[in-house]
Amino acid sequence: MNKTALRALLRERRALIAPESHGFVRSTGQGRRAPGLSQHQVDQLLHRTLGTYHRLESGNYPNPPTALLRDVARLFGLNEQEWVSLCRYALLQDPPGPLHLSAGKEVPGVWQEAVEGVRHMAYVTDASWDMLAHNEAFTRMFPDGQVPSNIMRWMVLDPVGRAHLLDWQTSWAPMVLPQLHGALASRPEDETLRQIEKEVLADPDVAVHYGAGRPHPHPDGDERPLMHADLGPGWVTMCAAQPLTAPGARLMILVFHPGAQRSHPRSPMLRSS
């Protein structure tokens, strides 16, 4: 626990909330003059035992439950980046999921211009793998020029998609489907992900991979065989990143080289000298 940073974050945000906005009457006589909600009022609003919030803010609550941190974050109006900071300060780890279900569903519009400036195939999806932005190079990967509205559904359920992902049973399905597992673990109420899972479980060829219990690796740096509509068969190396304002969203840059030989077999890591 980082007590100093935790105390500073909570005190600053608590001071911004007017007690009157939650039905409390500010005393005009002798007594407390500090701005914002009192620690006692926070306990009342969160329906917690008196003294609970004081323990948290003072850093005397080891391993506080995530439910308490989430309730405090929502009461204080933290954004997703502040939510991450709160969990890191209080628990020394990232949160198990986003603060709000709407998080990860949108990115700043400049991302469209950003991916258009990438020479390789590039796209951005939200936390449900719905397509948000892509460039012309990515469009040319598809025979009809129609980019799928949801890339996860295309990769695991669309027969055309599975045909383009060469060696799908070995090189793609065991790597892609665990990512769906991982996304649902952090976003269990996501309707899009739940619907994809339902369709996956109804397809025996896909369900066998989904239920294999493999860990959910990220695709960053992985190289897999792919059929490109214009360039033919080859190998695509995936570079993955996340827009910081949208937890769960993904920027994917796909470096494709046609031919039977791998282009980046375990390429060396880049390190500053």
Side-chain angles (χ1 to χ4, degrees):
M1 175 180 287
N2 187 331
K3 294 184 179 182
T4 302
L6 176 64
R7 186 182 303 114
L9 173 62
L10 292 178
R11 281 183 176 176
E12 176 184 337
R13 297 312 298 261
R14 178 166 61 86
L16 298 177
I17 303 175
E20 296 85 353
S21 66
H22 289 279
F24 296 107
V25 177
R26 187 183 295 274
S27 174
T28 57
Q30 296 293 325
R32 183 178 182 275
R33 289 291 186 272
L37 291 170
S38 69
Q39 295 181 347
H40 178 85
Q41 289 167 342
V42 174
D43 284 328
Q44 289 180 276
L45 291 171
L46 298 183
H47 306 288
R48 293 303 202 284
T49 303
L50 296 183
T52 299
Y53 178 77
H54 171 73
R55 291 177 59 204
L56 177 65
E57 187 177 294
S58 64
N60 293 318
Y61 198 148
N63 298 314
T66 304
L68 171 62
L69 297 178
R70 189 182 297 275
D71 288 346
V72 169
R74 287 176 173 169
L75 175 62
F76 289 4
L78 301 190
N79 60 34
E80 294 297 328
Q81 290 173 280
E82 291 167 333
W83 164 236
V84 171
S85 295
L86 176 61
C87 290
R88 288 177 177 174
Y89 296 157
L91 301 171
L92 300 180
Q93 64 185 39
D94 286 341
L99 181 59
H100 303 288
L101 188 60
S102 59
K105 293 294 187 177
E106 60 183 17
V107 297
V110 70
W111 276 101
Q112 178 61 56
E113 185 176 349
V115 297
E116 287 173 355
V118 178
R119 177 170 62 88
H120 299 286
M121 296 184 286
Y123 65 88
V124 177
T125 59
D126 68 11
S128 306
W129 278 279
D130 284 333
M131 190 65 61
L132 297 180
H134 60 84
N135 62 6
E136 180 61 26
F138 185 61
T139 301
R140 292 197 298 270
M141 190 186 92
F142 303 92
D144 53 4
Q146 295 296 313
V147 175
S149 60
N150 185 285
I151 200 68
M152 174 59 75
R153 178 176 278 110
W154 181 81
M155 289 190 294
V156 301
L157 293 167
D158 189 327
V160 175
R162 295 196 301 222
H164 278 269
L165 306 179
L166 302 178
D167 190 26
W168 182 84
Q169 291 281 358
T170 302
S171 298
W172 289 89
M175 308 300 175
V176 173
L177 284 161
Q179 293 181 57
L180 178 60
H181 256 306
L184 276 165
S186 62
R187 308 177 68 91
E189 300 175 3
D190 190 301
E191 294 183 4
T192 299
L193 297 178
R194 281 296 178 201
Q195 180 58 35
I196 294 175
E197 181 186 53
K198 182 179 179 180
E199 295 173 32
V200 163
L201 294 175
D203 187 325
D205 291 336
V206 186
V208 65
H209 295 287
Y210 189 67
R214 295 185 56 155
H216 43 276
H218 62 72
D220 191 30
D222 202 2
E223 187 176 30
R224 301 173 193 165
L226 175 75
M227 175 63 73
H228 191 289
D230 288 346
L231 303 176
W235 292 84
V236 62
T237 303
M238 290 163 282
C239 300
Q242 175 178 284
L244 294 180
T245 58
R250 302 160 193 84
L251 163 66
M252 299 295 297
I253 299 176
L254 309 179
V255 182
F256 181 80
H257 292 281
Q261 298 298 318
R262 288 176 178 264
S263 299
H264 303 103
R266 299 296 179 185
S267 57
M269 302 298 288
L270 301 178
R271 296 182 177 88
S272 62
S273 56

